[in-house]
Amino acid sequence: MGTDLFARLFSLQGKMALISGGYKGIGRLFAETLAEAGADVAIVARNQEGCVRAAGEISGKFGVRAVGKAMDVRRSDVVDRVVREVIAEFGGIDILVNSAGITGSEKPVLSMSDDDLDDVMNVDFRGVFVLSRAVAAHMAGRKQGKIINVASILGKIAARNMAGYCASKAAVIQLTKVMALELLRDNIQVNALCPGYFLTEFNRAFFETDRGKSMVKRMIPVNRVGALDELRSTALYLATCPAFLTGAEIYVDGGHTLP
């Protein structure tokens, strides 16, 4: 692909991206990918130290403006304040990536408490709603924007002892579709990325066990877990996608969700 064509389709020069949960995992991958394409980035999460450190590393590596800020997506007042700060500092937000999330308690339904359910729903679903509402109001005034919601294959298929997580990700997928419909008139595209199992520092030990290897062989047609770098092209595409792509669920899962 020629550099002119790449720049025309995928350059993010002059754009600004806000990424929740952007200091680690899939959120960090989004932050680095969009920064490499030229976007300035704001990384937000409850872990302010992690966000500031990640922002410094990304700015130093890619030469873009980057800030890290503390944000608890469960609190509307905090979300609204931080969004206003980012807009004031950068002049606007062009791309929102909702990547903040937790797995929650891994218990069967009959053993789950109300708090077990609330903990995961408040972060993984309500947090997406609250942050999207705040940023979309700004985007609507500018008549442009991209919102990318990081869901999961577990929003489509079920897993034992993951009721709260599965329900929250299914809710994010449906929220994505509703927002896509409602925000069409404002030229805002809203899509969901639904990753399968990817190797991270947190699950590496499990996937190296006999049980983990057996699960991969049984459930994933390509017979391996994904590497985070395999999400980079999808991340960039969703941040630069045409207006005709909205309300989509994009599965990157090695065939895990195939019938």
Side-chain angles (χ1 to χ4, degrees):
M1 179 185 292
T3 55
D4 289 345
L5 178 59
F6 181 87
R8 197 161 64 247
L9 293 178
F10 300 116
S11 173
L12 292 175
Q13 292 287 339
K15 301 294 186 180
M16 193 278 153
L18 172 64
I19 302 111
S20 70
Y23 72 99
K24 64 179 182 179
I26 292 175
R28 177 65 179 259
L29 176 132
F30 263 97
E32 291 189 354
T33 300
L34 304 190
E36 187 171 0
D40 295 327
V41 297
I43 297 169
V44 298
R46 282 182 282 180
N47 185 338
Q48 182 173 8
E49 182 181 348
C51 291
V52 171
R53 183 171 58 250
E57 292 169 354
I58 288 170
S59 180
K61 184 175 182 180
F62 301 111
V64 299
R65 293 175 63 197
V67 298
K69 293 178 176 287
M71 177 191 284
D72 185 344
V73 296
R74 299 171 300 180
R75 293 186 52 186
S76 297
D77 59 333
V78 172
V79 168
D80 291 344
R81 173 179 56 78
V82 175
V83 168
R84 287 195 301 269
E85 290 174 0
V86 171
I87 292 170
E89 187 166 349
F90 288 88
I93 299 171
D94 301 288
I95 303 157
L96 169 64
V97 181
N98 282 300
S99 183
I102 61 174
T103 57
S105 67
E106 297 184 18
K107 301 176 183 177
V109 170
L110 296 184
S111 298
M112 286 179 65
S113 67
D114 291 354
D115 286 342
D116 288 333
L117 180 62
D118 289 344
D119 285 346
V120 66
M121 292 297 288
N122 283 341
V123 176
D124 290 11
F125 172 62
R126 188 177 184 277
V128 173
F129 172 83
V130 169
L131 182 52
S132 294
R133 180 179 61 188
V135 175
H138 162 71
M139 290 177 171
R142 306 172 83 204
K143 296 298 180 183
Q144 64 170 356
K146 313 282 188 192
I147 297 176
I148 305 163
N149 296 327
V150 179
S152 167
I153 61 171
L154 295 185
K156 180 178 181 179
I157 62 177
R160 290 182 177 87
N161 302 328
M162 298 290 287
Y165 185 80
C166 290
S168 69
K169 294 303 185 180
V172 166
I173 291 170
Q174 285 300 104
L175 176 64
T176 299
K177 295 178 180 180
V178 172
M179 289 175 58
L181 281 174
E182 293 182 355
L183 298 174
L184 278 171
R185 70 188 71 182
D186 298 310
N187 190 30
I188 300 170
Q189 292 76 53
V190 189
N191 294 292
L193 174 64
C194 303
Y197 289 107
F198 282 80
L199 197 64
T200 70
E201 59 186 290
F202 303 106
N203 63 27
R204 183 182 299 274
F206 169 74
F207 283 118
E208 289 176 349
T209 66
D210 289 341
R211 182 182 170 209
K213 292 175 183 176
S214 174
M215 189 196 83
V216 168
K217 186 175 182 179
R218 185 176 70 255
M219 300 177 69
I220 305 177
V222 299
N223 203 27
R224 65 176 178 85
V225 294
L228 282 176
D229 271 357
E230 292 180 286
L231 287 171
R232 282 169 60 84
S233 58
T234 308
L236 181 57
Y237 178 63
L238 289 174
T240 57
C241 70
F244 209 60
L245 179 69
T246 194
E249 308 161 46
I250 308 295
Y251 289 87
V252 185
D253 62 2
H256 195 151
T257 53
L258 290 173

mmCIF file of all heavy atoms in Angstrom, residues 123-163:
data_model
loop_
_atom_site.group_PDB
_atom_site.id
_atom_site.type_symbol
_atom_site.label_atom_id
_atom_site.label_comp_id
_atom_site.label_asym_id
_atom_site.label_seq_id
_atom_site.Cartn_x
_atom_site.Cartn_y
_atom_site.Cartn_z
ATOM 1 N N VAL A 123 -19.037 -1.135 36.407
ATOM 2 C CA VAL A 123 -17.852 -0.775 35.639
ATOM 3 C C VAL A 123 -18.041 -1.117 34.161
ATOM 4 O O VAL A 123 -17.895 -0.267 33.283
ATOM 5 C CB VAL A 123 -16.593 -1.485 36.177
ATOM 6 C CG1 VAL A 123 -15.377 -1.173 35.287
ATOM 7 C CG2 VAL A 123 -16.318 -1.072 37.617
ATOM 8 N N ASP A 124 -18.377 -2.369 33.885
ATOM 9 C CA ASP A 124 -18.338 -2.871 32.509
ATOM 10 C C ASP A 124 -19.504 -2.404 31.648
ATOM 11 O O ASP A 124 -19.362 -2.301 30.422
ATOM 12 C CB ASP A 124 -18.310 -4.399 32.517
ATOM 13 C CG ASP A 124 -16.991 -4.950 33.034
ATOM 14 O OD1 ASP A 124 -16.181 -4.168 33.574
ATOM 15 O OD2 ASP A 124 -16.758 -6.163 32.914
ATOM 16 N N PHE A 125 -20.641 -2.128 32.264
ATOM 17 C CA PHE A 125 -21.773 -1.623 31.476
ATOM 18 C C PHE A 125 -22.095 -0.169 31.800
ATOM 19 O O PHE A 125 -22.035 0.699 30.932
ATOM 20 C CB PHE A 125 -23.017 -2.476 31.683
ATOM 21 C CG PHE A 125 -24.242 -1.869 31.049
ATOM 22 C CD1 PHE A 125 -24.291 -1.671 29.676
ATOM 23 C CD2 PHE A 125 -25.316 -1.450 31.813
ATOM 24 C CE1 PHE A 125 -25.403 -1.079 29.067
ATOM 25 C CE2 PHE A 125 -26.431 -0.862 31.219
ATOM 26 C CZ PHE A 125 -26.475 -0.677 29.850
ATOM 27 N N ARG A 126 -22.380 0.104 33.063
ATOM 28 C CA ARG A 126 -22.768 1.473 33.410
ATOM 29 C C ARG A 126 -21.642 2.456 33.094
ATOM 30 O O ARG A 126 -21.898 3.582 32.631
ATOM 31 C CB ARG A 126 -23.143 1.564 34.888
ATOM 32 C CG ARG A 126 -23.739 2.917 35.291
ATOM 33 C CD ARG A 126 -24.170 2.933 36.754
ATOM 34 N NE ARG A 126 -24.824 4.188 37.082
ATOM 35 C CZ ARG A 126 -24.172 5.310 37.412
ATOM 36 N NH1 ARG A 126 -22.852 5.316 37.445
ATOM 37 N NH2 ARG A 126 -24.845 6.409 37.706
ATOM 38 N N GLY A 127 -20.398 2.045 33.311
ATOM 39 C CA GLY A 127 -19.270 2.924 33.007
ATOM 40 C C GLY A 127 -19.199 3.281 31.537
ATOM 41 O O GLY A 127 -18.886 4.422 31.170
ATOM 42 N N VAL A 128 -19.484 2.310 30.665
ATOM 43 C CA VAL A 128 -19.515 2.572 29.226
ATOM 44 C C VAL A 128 -20.617 3.576 28.905
ATOM 45 O O VAL A 128 -20.425 4.516 28.120
ATOM 46 C CB VAL A 128 -19.717 1.267 28.434
ATOM 47 C CG1 VAL A 128 -19.928 1.548 26.952
ATOM 48 C CG2 VAL A 128 -18.521 0.334 28.632
ATOM 49 N N PHE A 129 -21.776 3.379 29.521
ATOM 50 C CA PHE A 129 -22.906 4.285 29.283
ATOM 51 C C PHE A 129 -22.577 5.706 29.728
ATOM 52 O O PHE A 129 -22.767 6.676 28.975
ATOM 53 C CB PHE A 129 -24.143 3.777 30.027
ATOM 54 C CG PHE A 129 -25.297 4.738 30.004
ATOM 55 C CD1 PHE A 129 -26.156 4.792 28.915
ATOM 56 C CD2 PHE A 129 -25.526 5.613 31.064
ATOM 57 C CE1 PHE A 129 -27.218 5.693 28.881
ATOM 58 C CE2 PHE A 129 -26.571 6.513 31.036
ATOM 59 C CZ PHE A 129 -27.423 6.554 29.943
ATOM 60 N N VAL A 130 -22.062 5.844 30.936
ATOM 61 C CA VAL A 130 -21.819 7.173 31.506
ATOM 62 C C VAL A 130 -20.752 7.929 30.710
ATOM 63 O O VAL A 130 -20.928 9.114 30.381
ATOM 64 C CB VAL A 130 -21.408 7.045 32.994
ATOM 65 C CG1 VAL A 130 -20.895 8.373 33.527
ATOM 66 C CG2 VAL A 130 -22.584 6.554 33.833
ATOM 67 N N LEU A 131 -19.648 7.266 30.387
ATOM 68 C CA LEU A 131 -18.584 7.935 29.640
ATOM 69 C C LEU A 131 -19.017 8.231 28.209
ATOM 70 O O LEU A 131 -18.729 9.310 27.673
ATOM 71 C CB LEU A 131 -17.313 7.082 29.663
ATOM 72 C CG LEU A 131 -16.081 7.673 28.965
ATOM 73 C CD1 LEU A 131 -15.774 9.085 29.451
ATOM 74 C CD2 LEU A 131 -14.877 6.761 29.166
ATOM 75 N N SER A 132 -19.720 7.307 27.593
ATOM 76 C CA SER A 132 -20.207 7.542 26.229
ATOM 77 C C SER A 132 -21.174 8.716 26.188
ATOM 78 O O SER A 132 -21.111 9.552 25.267
ATOM 79 C CB SER A 132 -20.905 6.290 25.685
ATOM 80 O OG SER A 132 -20.001 5.233 25.524
ATOM 81 N N ARG A 133 -22.051 8.799 27.167
ATOM 82 C CA ARG A 133 -23.016 9.906 27.205
ATOM 83 C C ARG A 133 -22.299 11.251 27.286
ATOM 84 O O ARG A 133 -22.643 12.193 26.556
ATOM 85 C CB ARG A 133 -23.949 9.729 28.408
ATOM 86 C CG ARG A 133 -24.998 10.819 28.557
ATOM 87 C CD ARG A 133 -25.888 10.558 29.764
ATOM 88 N NE ARG A 133 -25.113 10.551 31.000
ATOM 89 C CZ ARG A 133 -25.606 10.191 32.190
ATOM 90 N NH1 ARG A 133 -26.878 9.796 32.290
ATOM 91 N NH2 ARG A 133 -24.850 10.212 33.269
ATOM 92 N N ALA A 134 -21.286 11.326 28.131
ATOM 93 C CA ALA A 134 -20.562 12.582 28.309
ATOM 94 C C ALA A 134 -19.816 12.985 27.037
ATOM 95 O O ALA A 134 -19.861 14.147 26.615
ATOM 96 C CB ALA A 134 -19.586 12.454 29.482
ATOM 97 N N VAL A 135 -19.135 12.036 26.415
ATOM 98 C CA VAL A 135 -18.337 12.349 25.228
ATOM 99 C C VAL A 135 -19.229 12.544 24.007
ATOM 100 O O VAL A 135 -18.979 13.425 23.178
ATOM 101 C CB VAL A 135 -17.283 11.253 24.974
ATOM 102 C CG1 VAL A 135 -16.530 11.514 23.679
ATOM 103 C CG2 VAL A 135 -16.303 11.185 26.148
ATOM 104 N N ALA A 136 -20.279 11.731 23.879
ATOM 105 C CA ALA A 136 -21.165 11.845 22.712
ATOM 106 C C ALA A 136 -21.870 13.196 22.678
ATOM 107 O O ALA A 136 -22.132 13.737 21.596
ATOM 108 C CB ALA A 136 -22.186 10.714 22.709
ATOM 109 N N ALA A 137 -22.181 13.763 23.835
ATOM 110 C CA ALA A 137 -22.807 15.084 23.858
ATOM 111 C C ALA A 137 -21.881 16.119 23.225
ATOM 112 O O ALA A 137 -22.324 17.010 22.483
ATOM 113 C CB ALA A 137 -23.139 15.473 25.297
ATOM 114 N N HIS A 138 -20.590 16.001 23.495
ATOM 115 C CA HIS A 138 -19.598 16.890 22.883
ATOM 116 C C HIS A 138 -19.466 16.615 21.388
ATOM 117 O O HIS A 138 -19.464 17.541 20.570
ATOM 118 C CB HIS A 138 -18.251 16.684 23.581
ATOM 119 C CG HIS A 138 -17.070 17.188 22.816
ATOM 120 N ND1 HIS A 138 -16.816 18.530 22.637
ATOM 121 C CD2 HIS A 138 -16.082 16.516 22.165
ATOM 122 C CE1 HIS A 138 -15.715 18.673 21.925
ATOM 123 N NE2 HIS A 138 -15.255 17.474 21.618
ATOM 124 N N MET A 139 -19.381 15.333 21.018
ATOM 125 C CA MET A 139 -19.243 14.966 19.605
ATOM 126 C C MET A 139 -20.442 15.433 18.789
ATOM 127 O O MET A 139 -20.302 15.864 17.638
ATOM 128 C CB MET A 139 -19.077 13.454 19.465
ATOM 129 C CG MET A 139 -17.753 12.906 19.954
ATOM 130 S SD MET A 139 -17.711 11.092 19.812
ATOM 131 C CE MET A 139 -15.984 10.760 20.181
ATOM 132 N N ALA A 140 -21.629 15.333 19.371
ATOM 133 C CA ALA A 140 -22.845 15.718 18.650
ATOM 134 C C ALA A 140 -22.802 17.194 18.271
ATOM 135 O O ALA A 140 -23.275 17.598 17.201
ATOM 136 C CB ALA A 140 -24.079 15.421 19.490
ATOM 137 N N GLY A 141 -22.236 18.017 19.141
ATOM 138 C CA GLY A 141 -22.113 19.434 18.848
ATOM 139 C C GLY A 141 -21.153 19.711 17.705
ATOM 140 O O GLY A 141 -21.269 20.737 17.023
ATOM 141 N N ARG A 142 -20.221 18.790 17.463
ATOM 142 C CA ARG A 142 -19.239 18.955 16.381
ATOM 143 C C ARG A 142 -19.642 18.181 15.116
ATOM 144 O O ARG A 142 -18.967 18.262 14.101
ATOM 145 C CB ARG A 142 -17.872 18.459 16.856
ATOM 146 C CG ARG A 142 -17.394 19.097 18.136
ATOM 147 C CD ARG A 142 -16.122 18.416 18.633
ATOM 148 N NE ARG A 142 -14.941 18.950 17.966
ATOM 149 C CZ ARG A 142 -13.796 18.282 17.837
ATOM 150 N NH1 ARG A 142 -13.697 17.040 18.280
ATOM 151 N NH2 ARG A 142 -12.765 18.845 17.249
ATOM 152 N N LYS A 143 -20.700 17.370 15.238
ATOM 153 C CA LYS A 143 -21.203 16.574 14.115
ATOM 154 C C LYS A 143 -20.161 15.601 13.568
ATOM 155 O O LYS A 143 -20.070 15.387 12.355
ATOM 156 C CB LYS A 143 -21.717 17.481 12.983
ATOM 157 C CG LYS A 143 -22.914 18.326 13.368
ATOM 158 C CD LYS A 143 -24.116 17.456 13.741
ATOM 159 C CE LYS A 143 -25.312 18.303 14.133
ATOM 160 N NZ LYS A 143 -26.483 17.472 14.569
ATOM 161 N N GLN A 144 -19.421 14.976 14.482
ATOM 162 C CA GLN A 144 -18.483 13.945 14.066
ATOM 163 C C GLN A 144 -17.952 13.207 15.299
ATOM 164 O O GLN A 144 -17.902 13.774 16.390
ATOM 165 C CB GLN A 144 -17.301 14.541 13.305
ATOM 166 C CG GLN A 144 -16.430 15.462 14.134
ATOM 167 C CD GLN A 144 -15.151 15.845 13.419
ATOM 168 O OE1 GLN A 144 -14.860 15.370 12.338
ATOM 169 N NE2 GLN A 144 -14.360 16.725 14.033
ATOM 170 N N GLY A 145 -17.576 11.945 15.103
ATOM 171 C CA GLY A 145 -16.945 11.206 16.186
ATOM 172 C C GLY A 145 -16.998 9.708 15.960
ATOM 173 O O GLY A 145 -17.826 9.206 15.184
ATOM 174 N N LYS A 146 -16.085 9.017 16.632
ATOM 175 C CA LYS A 146 -16.049 7.556 16.630
ATOM 176 C C LYS A 146 -16.076 7.080 18.080
ATOM 177 O O LYS A 146 -15.292 7.567 18.902
ATOM 178 C CB LYS A 146 -14.775 7.022 15.975
ATOM 179 C CG LYS A 146 -14.400 7.645 14.644
ATOM 180 C CD LYS A 146 -15.219 7.119 13.505
ATOM 181 C CE LYS A 146 -14.664 7.624 12.166
ATOM 182 N NZ LYS A 146 -15.580 7.368 11.042
ATOM 183 N N ILE A 147 -16.953 6.141 18.375
ATOM 184 C CA ILE A 147 -16.995 5.524 19.694
ATOM 185 C C ILE A 147 -16.778 4.026 19.513
ATOM 186 O O ILE A 147 -17.494 3.379 18.738
ATOM 187 C CB ILE A 147 -18.326 5.801 20.421
ATOM 188 C CG1 ILE A 147 -18.494 7.308 20.661
ATOM 189 C CG2 ILE A 147 -18.384 5.035 21.748
ATOM 190 C CD1 ILE A 147 -19.820 7.685 21.290
ATOM 191 N N ILE A 148 -15.794 3.495 20.207
ATOM 192 C CA ILE A 148 -15.450 2.078 20.117
ATOM 193 C C ILE A 148 -15.634 1.464 21.501
ATOM 194 O O ILE A 148 -14.951 1.861 22.457
ATOM 195 C CB ILE A 148 -13.992 1.887 19.643
ATOM 196 C CG1 ILE A 148 -13.751 2.613 18.323
ATOM 197 C CG2 ILE A 148 -13.667 0.398 19.515
ATOM 198 C CD1 ILE A 148 -12.283 2.822 17.994
ATOM 199 N N ASN A 149 -16.544 0.541 21.606
ATOM 200 C CA ASN A 149 -16.811 -0.137 22.870
ATOM 201 C C ASN A 149 -16.153 -1.517 22.870
ATOM 202 O O ASN A 149 -16.449 -2.334 21.995
ATOM 203 C CB ASN A 149 -18.319 -0.283 23.099
ATOM 204 C CG ASN A 149 -19.003 1.059 23.246
ATOM 205 O OD1 ASN A 149 -18.423 2.008 23.770
ATOM 206 N ND2 ASN A 149 -20.245 1.156 22.789
ATOM 207 N N VAL A 150 -15.279 -1.754 23.822
ATOM 208 C CA VAL A 150 -14.635 -3.052 23.915
ATOM 209 C C VAL A 150 -15.565 -3.996 24.684
ATOM 210 O O VAL A 150 -15.735 -3.869 25.895
ATOM 211 C CB VAL A 150 -13.258 -2.960 24.595
ATOM 212 C CG1 VAL A 150 -12.626 -4.350 24.690
ATOM 213 C CG2 VAL A 150 -12.342 -2.023 23.806
ATOM 214 N N ALA A 151 -16.182 -4.907 23.949
ATOM 215 C CA ALA A 151 -17.073 -5.903 24.545
ATOM 216 C C ALA A 151 -16.289 -7.210 24.679
ATOM 217 O O ALA A 151 -15.152 -7.212 25.158
ATOM 218 C CB ALA A 151 -18.322 -6.074 23.696
ATOM 219 N N SER A 152 -16.865 -8.325 24.258
ATOM 220 C CA SER A 152 -16.194 -9.626 24.414
ATOM 221 C C SER A 152 -17.021 -10.672 23.693
ATOM 222 O O SER A 152 -18.234 -10.504 23.493
ATOM 223 C CB SER A 152 -16.084 -9.993 25.900
ATOM 224 O OG SER A 152 -15.715 -11.346 26.075
ATOM 225 N N ILE A 153 -16.371 -11.773 23.336
ATOM 226 C CA ILE A 153 -17.140 -12.905 22.811
ATOM 227 C C ILE A 153 -18.134 -13.413 23.849
ATOM 228 O O ILE A 153 -19.154 -14.014 23.488
ATOM 229 C CB ILE A 153 -16.229 -14.062 22.354
ATOM 230 C CG1 ILE A 153 -15.397 -14.608 23.528
ATOM 231 C CG2 ILE A 153 -15.360 -13.655 21.194
ATOM 232 C CD1 ILE A 153 -14.645 -15.889 23.220
ATOM 233 N N LEU A 154 -17.873 -13.120 25.139
ATOM 234 C CA LEU A 154 -18.787 -13.575 26.188
ATOM 235 C C LEU A 154 -20.033 -12.708 26.281
ATOM 236 O O LEU A 154 -20.901 -12.952 27.114
ATOM 237 C CB LEU A 154 -18.062 -13.648 27.534
ATOM 238 C CG LEU A 154 -16.938 -14.690 27.602
ATOM 239 C CD1 LEU A 154 -16.359 -14.775 29.006
ATOM 240 C CD2 LEU A 154 -17.434 -16.072 27.157
ATOM 241 N N GLY A 155 -20.138 -11.718 25.408
ATOM 242 C CA GLY A 155 -21.416 -11.044 25.224
ATOM 243 C C GLY A 155 -22.319 -11.798 24.269
ATOM 244 O O GLY A 155 -23.502 -11.489 24.139
ATOM 245 N N LYS A 156 -21.750 -12.801 23.601
ATOM 246 C CA LYS A 156 -22.502 -13.617 22.643
ATOM 247 C C LYS A 156 -22.666 -15.058 23.112
ATOM 248 O O LYS A 156 -23.712 -15.658 22.919
ATOM 249 C CB LYS A 156 -21.789 -13.599 21.292
ATOM 250 C CG LYS A 156 -22.465 -14.416 20.208
ATOM 251 C CD LYS A 156 -21.725 -14.298 18.882
ATOM 252 C CE LYS A 156 -22.419 -15.102 17.782
ATOM 253 N NZ LYS A 156 -21.706 -14.971 16.486
ATOM 254 N N ILE A 157 -21.609 -15.623 23.699
ATOM 255 C CA ILE A 157 -21.667 -17.003 24.179
ATOM 256 C C ILE A 157 -21.570 -17.000 25.701
ATOM 257 O O ILE A 157 -21.101 -16.041 26.304
ATOM 258 C CB ILE A 157 -20.552 -17.867 23.558
ATOM 259 C CG1 ILE A 157 -19.172 -17.328 23.957
ATOM 260 C CG2 ILE A 157 -20.700 -17.928 22.041
ATOM 261 C CD1 ILE A 157 -18.015 -18.167 23.454
ATOM 262 N N ALA A 158 -22.011 -18.077 26.320
ATOM 263 C CA ALA A 158 -22.049 -18.158 27.778
ATOM 264 C C ALA A 158 -20.831 -18.897 28.322
ATOM 265 O O ALA A 158 -20.230 -19.730 27.650
ATOM 266 C CB ALA A 158 -23.327 -18.866 28.228
ATOM 267 N N ALA A 159 -20.487 -18.554 29.557
ATOM 268 C CA ALA A 159 -19.413 -19.255 30.256
ATOM 269 C C ALA A 159 -19.833 -19.443 31.710
ATOM 270 O O ALA A 159 -20.389 -18.521 32.321
ATOM 271 C CB ALA A 159 -18.106 -18.478 30.180
ATOM 272 N N ARG A 160 -19.598 -20.618 32.237
ATOM 273 C CA ARG A 160 -19.945 -20.888 33.637
ATOM 274 C C ARG A 160 -19.222 -19.925 34.574
ATOM 275 O O ARG A 160 -18.089 -19.540 34.338
ATOM 276 C CB ARG A 160 -19.582 -22.324 34.015
ATOM 277 C CG ARG A 160 -20.457 -23.384 33.371
ATOM 278 C CD ARG A 160 -20.044 -24.768 33.842
ATOM 279 N NE ARG A 160 -20.907 -25.803 33.303
ATOM 280 C CZ ARG A 160 -20.727 -26.389 32.121
ATOM 281 N NH1 ARG A 160 -19.695 -26.026 31.363
ATOM 282 N NH2 ARG A 160 -21.556 -27.318 31.704
ATOM 283 N N ASN A 161 -19.917 -19.563 35.635
ATOM 284 C CA ASN A 161 -19.353 -18.736 36.709
ATOM 285 C C ASN A 161 -18.981 -17.321 36.256
ATOM 286 O O ASN A 161 -18.188 -16.647 36.913
ATOM 287 C CB ASN A 161 -18.112 -19.413 37.326
ATOM 288 C CG ASN A 161 -18.419 -20.788 37.875
ATOM 289 O OD1 ASN A 161 -19.520 -21.048 38.352
ATOM 290 N ND2 ASN A 161 -17.448 -21.677 37.810
ATOM 291 N N MET A 162 -19.566 -16.877 35.156
ATOM 292 C CA MET A 162 -19.264 -15.543 34.622
ATOM 293 C C MET A 162 -20.549 -14.778 34.303
ATOM 294 O O MET A 162 -20.601 -13.998 33.350
ATOM 295 C CB MET A 162 -18.405 -15.672 33.355
ATOM 296 C CG MET A 162 -17.060 -16.321 33.549
ATOM 297 S SD MET A 162 -15.911 -15.285 34.484
ATOM 298 C CE MET A 162 -15.511 -14.031 33.275
ATOM 299 N N ALA A 163 -21.579 -14.979 35.105
ATOM 300 C CA ALA A 163 -22.886 -14.393 34.796
ATOM 301 C C ALA A 163 -22.823 -12.878 34.690
ATOM 302 O O ALA A 163 -23.356 -12.279 33.745
ATOM 303 C CB ALA A 163 -23.910 -14.792 35.855
#
